[in-house]
Amino acid sequence: MNLDRKTWQLITTAGLFLLAALLCVAAWAVANAPQSGPDRPKVTDWMQAWGSIAGVFAGLAAAGAATALLLFERRQARQARDELAAERSSEDERRAQLVFTSQPGIAGVTGWIRGVRVRVYNHRLSPIHRVTGSVNFQGRVVQLEVKDFILPAEYAEINGTAQPPISTADARISSQESIVTVEFTDSSGQRWRRVGNGHPRRVPRYVFPRSSQSIEPESVPPAE
């Protein structure tokens, strides 16, 4: 098992600490031992004392090494879990990118947008569910209907109604200037949102797009 640098530093620090403590005990014992007389410690006494001290420090060293190894294994396990979660997240996002939307088709009369139609393509290997979204015309938002599901390698047209109709008197109001947002749920139950076929984002719960917003026209011509 290859230990990382941090674990080796922890083991080395613990070893140096134990060595320093052992030297301090030795210095204290030598300084306080009688130099002569009947109380002067014998060689066997020193050996027994140092054997006991060495046993204590050996136990502490073993406990420190076991703790360091446990911490190292926990870090390794946590790192492995994080890497696995990151791989799964990346794979889920890659699959979510296989759902595309077209530019919206516009329905209405000259000068007015009464409805839109968006194609949603599912290039995944599994169906997507609760497909919906919105089309934003420079701040005028049209909500799309909900499609229950789209099978793999198929597409569906999703319609939306502008209520009230949107005037195209502003030159910026056109399908080329619109932004399409689509939401769908994959086979695992994860909800996704893509804005303009951009990077997919997770949605924690099902959220319908904002209600339709548009400029109130003074008068709306009848449909042809």
Side-chain angles (χ1 to χ4, degrees):
M1 178 174 56
N2 295 325
L3 302 181
D4 58 8
R5 182 178 179 182
K6 187 175 182 180
T7 303
W8 277 117
Q9 289 177 345
L10 181 61
I11 294 176
T12 302
T13 301
L16 292 176
F17 173 78
L18 293 176
L19 178 61
L22 186 62
L23 292 177
C24 289
V25 172
W28 178 86
V30 172
N32 291 275
Q35 299 297 321
S36 61
D39 294 332
R40 176 182 175 83
K42 301 178 181 179
V43 174
T44 55
D45 296 332
W46 281 106
M47 293 178 62
Q48 183 178 3
W50 282 110
S52 299
I53 294 174
V56 172
F57 280 102
L60 293 176
T67 301
L69 290 176
L70 178 61
L71 294 176
F72 170 75
E73 291 177 354
R74 287 184 175 179
R75 285 198 300 271
Q76 292 291 92
R78 183 171 58 251
Q79 182 179 356
R81 289 194 300 268
D82 293 342
E83 291 177 352
L84 179 59
E87 290 177 0
R88 288 179 177 176
S89 176
S90 177
E91 180 65 18
D92 290 343
E93 291 179 359
R94 186 191 66 80
R95 292 174 181 172
Q97 291 176 351
L98 298 177
V99 177
F100 299 91
T101 57
S102 66
Q103 284 292 329
I106 296 176
V109 295
T110 303
W112 298 93
I113 298 175
R114 291 184 176 274
V116 295
R117 181 179 64 258
V118 176
R119 282 189 176 184
V120 180
Y121 298 85
N122 178 22
H123 294 293
R124 297 166 58 97
L125 298 178
S126 58
I128 56 177
H129 309 272
R130 300 289 296 176
V131 186
T132 185
S134 63
V135 182
N136 189 324
F137 295 96
Q138 296 294 325
R140 289 80 159 174
V141 180
V142 179
Q143 181 177 310
L144 301 176
E145 63 185 5
V146 179
K147 188 72 173 179
D148 290 335
F149 63 90
I150 302 177
L151 296 175
E154 293 188 4
Y155 71 89
E157 291 187 347
I158 305 179
N159 300 318
T161 302
Q163 297 178 344
I166 301 173
S167 172
T168 57
D170 190 335
R172 296 176 302 174
I173 303 299
S174 66
S175 61
Q176 286 73 28
E177 296 295 331
S178 64
I179 299 176
V180 178
T181 299
V182 65
E183 289 190 9
F184 62 92
T185 302
D186 62 21
S187 56
S188 68
Q190 175 62 56
R191 189 74 179 168
W192 295 93
R193 177 186 294 133
R194 293 195 74 183
V195 179
N197 287 326
H199 187 75
R201 301 293 183 183
R202 286 178 168 81
V203 180
R205 58 186 177 87
Y206 183 79
V207 179
F208 280 98
R210 293 183 303 168
S211 59
S212 300
Q213 298 179 4
S214 61
I215 298 177
E216 290 283 350
E218 296 182 357
S219 61
V220 179
E224 295 180 353

